[in-house]
């Protein structure tokens, strides 16, 4: 008989804005998530393919790779579970064109800072 051990949910935050990254990390940790974070789009791609995350948050502040390109690359990877929510955040107000571009790249949601993480 094999015992099943539940692990806490795992979130990956890719954001080069230290304040926003820490704020998101704090909120997710308070809700029981283990959080991995990176400031690099390239590293986010590698981490997303290697670990079994339950949520990915990719911010448009990444300086090495555009957040939407990161989303596309993750969604196109055969090593990525496509049922995992991928959220794009932006330091600028969301406009319809940006939101639609994020959805087309594979994002489940597109949010502007400050991200409202209060429970519904």
């Amino acid at each position: 008989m094999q015992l099943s051990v539940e692990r806490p949910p795992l979130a990956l935050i890719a954001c080069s804005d230290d304040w926003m990254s820490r704020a998101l990390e704090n909120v997710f940790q308070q809700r029981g998530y283990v959080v991995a974070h990176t400031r690099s789009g390239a590293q986010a791609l590698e981490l997303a393919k290697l670990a079994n995350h339950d949520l990915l948050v990719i911010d448009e502040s990444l300086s090495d790779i555009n957040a939407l390109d990161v989303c596309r690359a993750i969604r196109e990877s055969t090593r990525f579970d496509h049922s995992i929510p991928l959220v794009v955040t932006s330091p600028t107000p969301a406009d319809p064109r940006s939101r639609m571009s994020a959805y087309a790249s594979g994002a489940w949601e597109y949010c502007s800072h400050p991200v409202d993480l209060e429970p519904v």
Side-chain angles (χ1 to χ4, degrees), residues 81-99:
D81 181 350
H82 298 290
S83 67
I84 297 169
L86 201 158
V87 176
V88 174
T89 59
S90 173
T92 60
D95 63 75
R97 173 180 264 163
S98 297
R99 186 176 303 281

Side-chain angles (χ1 to χ4, degrees), residues 68-111:
L68 301 187
D69 291 337
V70 172
C71 286
R72 269 186 222 94
I74 288 171
R75 290 293 183 205
E76 291 171 359
S77 171
T78 58
R79 298 185 326 195
F80 182 75
D81 181 350
H82 298 290
S83 67
I84 297 169
L86 201 158
V87 176
V88 174
T89 59
S90 173
T92 60
D95 63 75
R97 173 180 264 163
S98 297
R99 186 176 303 281
M100 293 311 293
S101 294
Y103 294 153
S105 73
W108 284 32
E109 186 59 72
Y110 182 85
C111 305

